[in-house]
């Protein structure tokens, strides 16, 4: 985890941008010693958002399963999950 004072974003934008891109991790900015903002590169942000979406979808499927609702065959589920994982890993549009 990288922590920088908020003034560093104004003074060292390129350095912070390079740090975000090279590590793939967010940089936490503080103001007066307190947490204020989080900065991350767009690729990491997009990947994180897709992973959160996948997690929400998997939780919904698990809730349906626990409630006894049926949806798709194991082969259909496997195909859908492979498509979602491919989208997350490679940024491709899912056909689901």
């Amino acid at each position: 985890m990288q922590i920088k004072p908020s003034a560093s974003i104004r003074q060292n934008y390129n350095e912070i941008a390079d740090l975000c891109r090279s590590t793939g991790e967010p940089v936490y900015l503080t103001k007066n010693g307190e947490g204020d903002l989080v900065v991350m590169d767009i690729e990491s942000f997009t990947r994180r958002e897709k992973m959160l979406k996948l997690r929400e979808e998997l939780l919904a499927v698990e809730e349906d399963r626990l409630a006894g609702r049926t949806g798709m065959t194991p082969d259909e589920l496997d195909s859908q999950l492979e498509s979602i994982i491919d989208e997350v890993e490679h940024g491709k549009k899912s056909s689901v």
Side-chain angles (χ1 to χ4, degrees), residues 18-84:
D18 289 342
L19 182 63
C20 288
R21 285 188 208 99
S22 68
T23 65
E25 295 292 322
V27 173
Y28 298 85
L29 301 175
T30 62
K31 185 174 183 179
N32 299 324
E34 299 283 328
D36 188 42
L37 297 172
V38 176
V39 179
M40 62 192 323
D41 70 288
I42 195 72
E43 185 178 315
S44 296
F45 175 77
T46 301
R47 185 173 49 251
R48 183 174 290 212
E49 289 297 304
K50 287 179 180 179
M51 290 301 293
L52 288 172
K53 180 180 177 188
L54 172 60
R55 185 178 182 154
E56 288 175 9
E57 290 173 0
L58 289 173
L59 285 171
V61 168
E62 180 64 5
E63 288 173 356
D64 286 345
R65 185 189 70 79
L66 291 173
R69 294 185 284 271
T70 59
M72 56 182 69
T73 68
D75 288 336
E76 291 170 332
L77 178 60
D78 186 49
S79 176
Q80 181 178 3
L81 290 175
E82 284 180 16
S83 177
I84 292 169

